[in-house]
Amino acid sequence: MQIAPGIHSIGEEKGGHVHAFLLDDGDGLTLIDALFSDDASVVLAEIAAMGRTVADLKRIILTHAHRSHVGGAAKLKELSKAQVFIHEWEVDILRGKRTATRVGLWPKPPKGVYKLQVGLALGLGKHVACEVDQTLKEGDHCGPLTVIGVPGHTPGSLAYWWPERKALFPGDIVVTWPRLELGWEGLTLDTRQNRESVGKLSDITDAEILGVGHGEPIVGNAAASVKKLLAAA
């Protein structure tokens, strides 16, 4: 679904109302995250609905290497020959050589994501291993995006800022499902650091769109939503 010129939101209930974003900047398509399903069918359907083909996909840029966000990466890379980008800390997880850092089993709100917490705590829900073409870090540029380091949810979490479209993609350090909050406590490795990372994003005062990893995107005056969230935390 197009939420702004050149920005399409793609959602899947699996993985906790997870969302990915297809960007069209006139130089091929860029995908931020790859949803939960290994077959990438939801992403492929959105590309087709745009009147494009999978060969138009040039970049797969990942916010972090949890299963909900990398499930379709290997299939999409195979079909499109797109390059895959992620933070250095997350590379071996994406390649299937290291499991994602475990979280605790003690239930944390919201109740609707406890199944995901258990999966991460026990190392369940393996994704199809995917090769990485290039690592990203704070200050890099990839396609139309500027890279922002936002550790907390994971040490290698990255956010992406598209200044021309005033669109910010924070991964899982902010969620909107089932409510707007500073990520999900039970799946965040360092909540203090996560809050500090959201504080960094609050400095982007002209953000209009917030494309979060879980829940519907905020379309309109997103910067105000981030500031309000921080003030209430």
Side-chain angles (χ1 to χ4, degrees), residues 25 27-32 56-61 82-85 142-144:
D25 68 340
D27 183 30
L29 301 179
T30 296
L31 179 69
I32 299 177
D56 293 320
L57 182 61
K58 304 303 181 186
R59 292 168 289 270
I60 301 167
I61 305 177
Q83 289 196 311
V84 173
F85 302 80
C142 191

Side-chain angles (χ1 to χ4, degrees), residues 34 47 69 77 90 97 104 106 122 133 180 195:
I47 292 174
H69 304 276
K77 180 174 176 60
E90 312 275 340
K97 296 181 179 179
W106 187 260
L122 300 180
D133 296 286
L180 178 65
R195 189 187 189 285

Side-chain angles (χ1 to χ4, degrees), residues 102-108 114-115 117-124 186:
R102 306 289 178 90
V103 297
L105 274 170
W106 187 260
K108 300 286 181 65
Y114 185 59
K115 183 178 179 180
Q117 183 182 334
V118 170
L120 188 55
L122 300 180
L124 306 176

